[in-house]
Amino acid sequence: MSETVSNTGPAATSSPAAASDNTAQQPQPASREPHRSMGQRLAGLIKRPEIGSIGGAILVFVLFYALAEPFRNLASFSTVLYQSAALGIPAVAVALLMIGGEFDLSAGVAVTASSLAASMFAAQITGNVWVGVGFALVLSLSIGALNGILLIKTGLHSFLVTLSTFLMLQGLNLAITKLVTGNVATGDISDLAGFDSAQSVFASYFNIFGMSISIMVFYWLAFVAVATWILLRTRVGNWIFAVGGQGDSARAVGVPLNKVKIGLFMGVGFAAWFVGMHLLFDYVTVQSGEGVGNELLYIAQAVVGGCLLTGGYGSAIGAAIGGFIFGMTTQGIIYAGWDPQWFMFFVGVMLLLATVFNAWIRRQVTRG
Amino acid sequence: MTQQKGHPLIRLTDVSKSFGPIDVLRGINLDVAAGEVCCVLGDNGAGKSTLINIIAGLHQHTSGRYTVDGHDVRFGSPREALDLGISAVYQHLALVPLLPVWRNFFLGSELTRGVWPFARLDKAQMKEITDQALQNMGIVVKDLEQPVGTLSGGQRQCVAIARAIHFGARVLILDEPTAALGVKQSGVVLKYISRAAQESGVGVVFITHNPHHAYMVGDSFAILSRGEIDLRARREELSVDDLIYRMAGGAELESLQHEMGR
């Protein structure tokens, strides 16, 4: 390949404004302008996928700060953070999956399936909760892998595949729990071996600045950090964007599309397991009918956070901010003294606003 | 990477392809040499797609010989063709629109630093190499972080071609790279194709149904008609008018014109 290039001029002779004409036949400066102007920086910031959710978070915060007096209390903030984390951990994994172009409707009941499996396996078979925890992990990852493999083998849309697994899991949760325990909930496991250590790992609390903060909040931040790093700094992250953006192109240049998709579903399985373990060791017993409806909240958070339903675009930080918005809303409604039933209405409003705003952002991005 | 100009890279001898009882290609003879642009022209349904799919390893030929560097081949997948340096750039399959230019350039072949599980993308180096590879070929993009979808159609084609060459393509198969482009953008791509052949020494199979585009860059021409090669000629042997005439259906078109009495 030739090193000499005839039609690229030295950088100094041409103003950066000339670079706006980007056809190949024009003489161009050899290097681009290193310092971007304030306007360009602002434009770059607006193009971040999470910008809409940041605006939404500020809006919701101001709203409840003004309306709900207890909301201004620092201690209530720890409850907000806890709510955000419990919803937000699966949402981060769901966001990665959606960037990879797929849905998971089974994530909500998968959380409950994991808690139930750990609880019943420990109580009925081993007597040690850690073995149950391990069993639940294997089960959750298998559910994720099954979703991915079904998707690839059947060629169906992930909406249909995971709707099926959602319904199956919902049935299994109730049926197996009733079969094993004779009840719709599992028994108390707090007297089993290993319970205290497991509780300290999954469901302990820290006192910081006079607030009692759940360990889940730290795990949530860790999930977001790792997911962001994977997305933006690793090969796998590049592949996730690519398989979601244009799967055929990605496959054509050698991206292992099937592995990426199965891996993403297993990531959701892992997050479901994690939250499932928290709920188990926080509440000691598990209601087998729980979790239904949460899958849509996970998806809603990811979408509020800037993920496109069509894939290929979004961020884990955005999903985290989406979770924070939902956490503030749940608690804000209670602090404002409203009926908690208003929560879903607010979720709907925010989802609608976010989707419209994000669609506008995307048009700006693709326009350049 | 520069190869001896004129060195034969791929050769099809009497290649035929049937899908069940339907013969799609019959007795195709075609060769592509290093540094040369071989234009394959033909109407819709003439068998162009099948021909390039055979060359690129997507399909296998039913009979005849397909040799690369003189060795018989029968590819089981595009990956095998790619390993021998035969790379197809499809019009709509080339790039991921929402992904930044540099991420697209290295997609599937990303450079990393550090050891697993801490291996991270070597962003600086990838951006520099992308920048260099594009500049070498005279493509200028404003910002390598901009999504590829924001580039013009011509630039997108050029980025896809530059990527194929950077990753070791010796034979480039370009499937209608100018079909969806305007005049100016087509010019960008044609200029780039000719430059790629001359400077990098790659052999180019240029599929098009535009004889003007073909004549601007082609060293040799093959017109495909109903699964057979209707004309095989070198540039010296014909004018652009001949090419247009033959491409349009030649005598057939003339009789049609006569029939319609205009």
Side-chain angles (χ1 to χ4, degrees):
Chain A
M1 202 180 283
S2 167
E3 284 298 311
T4 52
V5 183
S6 56
N7 64 353
T8 48
T13 57
S14 179
S15 79
S20 63
D21 186 347
N22 50 13
T23 50
Q25 55 267 62
Q26 298 292 323
Q28 293 289 340
S31 68
R32 280 172 298 278
E33 183 71 355
H35 300 292
R36 300 196 297 164
S37 74
M38 194 63 193
Q40 278 171 315
R41 268 176 212 212
L42 215 65
L45 190 71
I46 285 174
K47 285 174 189 168
R48 298 289 318 148
E50 50 282 279
I51 192 75
S53 58
I54 292 173
I58 293 171
L59 210 70
V60 170
F61 183 83
V62 168
L63 178 78
F64 285 115
Y65 196 90
L67 289 180
E69 205 261 314
F71 194 80
R72 296 166 217 169
N73 185 345
L74 198 62
S76 64
F77 196 66
S78 71
T79 320
V80 168
L81 284 180
Y82 171 72
Q83 290 289 350
S84 313
L87 282 174
I89 288 177
V92 168
V94 167
L96 294 201
L97 179 70
M98 286 180 68
I99 295 170
E102 304 298 340
F103 281 103
D104 191 350
L105 293 178
S106 69
V109 288
V111 170
T112 310
S114 205
S115 311
L116 289 170
S119 171
M120 289 191 285
F121 195 84
Q124 306 288 331
I125 296 172
T126 69
N128 186 317
V129 296
W130 281 106
V131 183
V133 168
F135 173 73
L137 177 62
V138 173
L139 181 81
S140 289
L141 291 176
S142 307
I143 293 170
L146 180 73
N147 274 331
I149 292 165
L150 282 176
L151 176 91
I152 285 150
K153 292 288 176 209
T154 61
L156 292 172
H157 194 281
S158 55
F159 187 94
L160 278 176
V161 170
T162 60
L163 180 62
S164 312
T165 47
F166 160 62
L167 294 171
M168 288 191 280
L169 277 179
Q170 193 186 351
L172 284 174
N173 282 352
L174 292 161
I176 293 183
T177 307
K178 204 151 183 204
L179 201 66
V180 173
T181 67
N183 205 330
V184 288
T186 61
D188 187 339
I189 58 160
S190 58
D191 52 352
L192 295 183
F195 181 84
D196 292 336
S197 59
Q199 190 176 41
S200 65
V201 169
F202 290 108
S204 55
Y205 291 83
F206 294 89
N207 272 308
I208 299 171
F209 309 126
M211 294 190 287
S212 172
I213 293 187
S214 167
I215 196 168
M216 287 297 274
V217 175
F218 301 101
Y219 285 135
W220 176 44
L221 297 177
F223 263 86
V224 175
V226 170
T228 302
W229 186 76
I230 290 174
L231 270 181
L232 299 179
R233 287 283 179 270
T234 69
R235 301 186 73 180
V236 173
N238 216 26
W239 297 348
I240 292 172
F241 278 108
V243 299
Q246 189 136 336
D248 294 337
S249 302
R251 204 204 298 260
V253 292
V255 172
L257 180 128
N258 293 349
K259 283 185 190 164
V260 171
K261 295 219 161 172
I262 293 172
L264 287 170
F265 276 107
M266 291 175 76
V268 176
F270 181 78
W273 167 78
F274 205 89
V275 172
M277 292 310 100
H278 167 72
L279 294 176
L280 173 62
F281 293 109
D282 208 28
Y283 294 113
V284 182
T285 68
V286 191
Q287 296 292 327
S288 57
E290 285 291 301
V292 179
N294 282 350
E295 65 285 339
L296 296 177
L297 289 180
Y298 304 149
I299 292 172
Q301 287 171 70
V303 171
V304 167
C307 288
L308 286 177
L309 285 183
T310 44
Y313 191 74
S315 94
I317 294 173
I321 299 169
F324 185 51
I325 293 179
F326 284 17
M328 283 195 290
T329 312
T330 352
Q331 289 312 111
I333 287 171
I334 293 167
Y335 292 143
W338 303 342
D339 192 312
Q341 304 308 326
W342 283 99
F343 173 65
M344 279 300 174
F345 173 78
F346 271 91
V347 169
V349 170
M350 281 181 298
L351 186 61
L352 189 63
L353 290 178
T355 318
V356 170
F357 185 78
N358 288 336
W360 178 76
I361 289 286
R362 188 200 186 193
R363 276 199 300 278
Q364 300 301 310
V365 171
T366 45
R367 195 178 292 162
Chain B
M1 190 167 86
T2 306
Q3 308 162 73
Q4 186 93 45
K5 196 173 160 99
H7 162 76
L9 293 170
I10 60 172
R11 169 164 287 147
L12 302 181
T13 315
D14 203 23
V15 162
S16 299
K17 171 75 185 173
S18 332
F19 291 109
I22 303 151
D23 293 337
V24 185
L25 293 174
R26 280 182 304 273
I28 301 291
N29 292 297
L30 196 74
D31 54 293
V32 181
E36 285 193 0
V37 180
C38 169
C39 299
V40 177
L41 298 103
D43 217 346
N44 294 334
K48 290 180 302 201
S49 301
T50 310
L51 179 61
I52 59 171
N53 285 344
I54 289 171
I55 299 174
L58 244 68
H59 293 332
Q60 292 185 345
H61 49 288
T62 315
S63 64
R65 289 180 66 197
Y66 174 14
T67 59
V68 176
D69 298 319
H71 304 290
D72 279 289
V73 289
R74 187 173 275 274
F75 296 129
S77 76
R79 189 76 241 175
E80 290 175 29
L82 216 53
D83 288 342
L84 287 178
I86 297 164
S87 179
V89 177
Y90 295 98
Q91 198 187 320
H92 299 293
L93 278 185
L95 303 160
V96 182
L98 284 169
L99 221 48
V101 176
W102 68 273
R103 284 182 183 267
N104 257 297
F105 196 88
F106 276 94
L107 185 59
S109 314
E110 294 88 350
L111 305 176
T112 56
R113 286 190 303 159
V115 249
W116 195 89
F118 302 108
R120 57 205 179 277
L121 294 179
D122 194 344
K123 210 171 152 180
Q125 205 192 343
M126 284 195 281
K127 283 175 90 165
E128 197 186 311
I129 292 171
T130 306
D131 197 29
Q132 204 57 53
L134 295 184
Q135 278 193 31
N136 278 350
M137 288 298 171
I139 309 163
V140 176
V141 292
K142 243 192 295 181
D143 182 358
L144 293 174
E145 287 285 0
Q146 75 189 92
V148 148
T150 64
L151 299 180
S152 68
Q155 282 184 313
R156 279 203 294 272
Q157 288 290 334
C158 291
V159 169
I161 298 169
R163 176 177 67 183
I165 293 174
H166 178 80
F167 289 105
R170 298 186 301 144
V171 179
L172 264 180
I173 304 155
L174 307 176
D175 183 19
E176 303 263 10
T178 58
L181 303 179
V183 175
K184 194 175 171 193
Q185 291 298 323
S186 295
V188 173
V189 176
L190 291 172
K191 202 181 269 190
Y192 186 64
I193 290 172
S194 140
R195 191 164 172 167
Q198 278 161 20
E199 293 188 6
S200 305
V202 296
V204 178
V205 182
F206 176 28
I207 316 290
T208 180
H209 58 249
N210 187 324
H212 298 280
H213 289 172
Y215 202 77
M216 264 187 262
V217 294
D219 293 296
S220 72
F221 306 91
I223 294 178
L224 211 54
S225 171
R226 293 191 202 100
E228 287 176 53
I229 289 197
D230 197 36
L231 168 88
R232 180 80 179 111
R234 293 202 58 82
R235 187 186 185 82
E236 308 80 79
E237 297 162 9
L238 81 178
S239 69
V240 67
D241 291 329
D242 294 337
L243 198 62
I244 295 165
Y245 178 73
R246 296 294 294 266
M247 170 70 198
E252 222 175 290
L253 191 76
E254 242 171 35
S255 74
L256 181 68
Q257 238 165 6
H258 184 75
E259 246 175 71
M260 296 179 74
R262 304 183 71 142

